[in-house]
Amino acid sequence: MTIFDTELTLIDGTKTTLGKLGKGPFLVVNVASRCGLTPQYEALEALQKKYAKQGFTVVGVPSDQFKQELATDGDVASYCSTTWGVTFPMTSKAMVNG
């Protein structure tokens, strides 16, 4: 098994693997919709657009462990796409610490 075989559930419920999202490199990053760092979405989307043709993929991983995320995956997806123009893949909410 390699990192590319890592299973993920995307924010729309689709099951996939990291390898199916791209060839790499990847930036897997914890994101939050309701914190002081929320503008990170704009910078992450800029990275995605700038380097996508070279195989680079941002993978956003929302989590509500820090009580800074919207209620549902659908709410998160809608907010990120309409407010920040996010096109990079995002997973369903996940545990990111512990």
Side-chain angles (χ1 to χ4, degrees), residues 6-97:
T6 302
E7 294 181 354
L8 303 169
T9 301
L10 297 179
I11 204 158
D12 67 0
T14 303
K15 304 273 188 200
T16 192
T17 63
L18 194 58
K20 288 180 182 176
L21 296 180
K23 298 186 187 272
F26 298 96
L27 173 62
V28 180
V29 60
N30 173 229
V31 293
S33 300
R34 297 289 182 228
C35 80
L37 299 177
T38 299
Q40 70 183 327
Y41 285 116
E42 185 174 21
L44 292 170
E45 182 63 22
L47 280 173
Q48 177 68 31
K49 286 180 178 176
K50 183 174 182 176
Y51 296 109
K53 289 182 181 176
Q54 296 160 318
F56 176 79
T57 304
V58 173
V59 180
V61 182
S63 173
D64 197 31
Q65 284 182 279
F66 310 104
K67 308 300 180 208
Q68 296 178 325
E69 194 52 84
L70 298 170
T72 69
D73 285 346
D75 292 341
V76 174
S78 178
Y79 171 77
C80 290
S81 65
T82 59
T83 304
W84 300 104
V86 168
T87 62
F88 56 82
M90 293 191 44
T91 69
S92 61
K93 289 194 284 187
M95 303 289 278
V96 296
N97 69 356

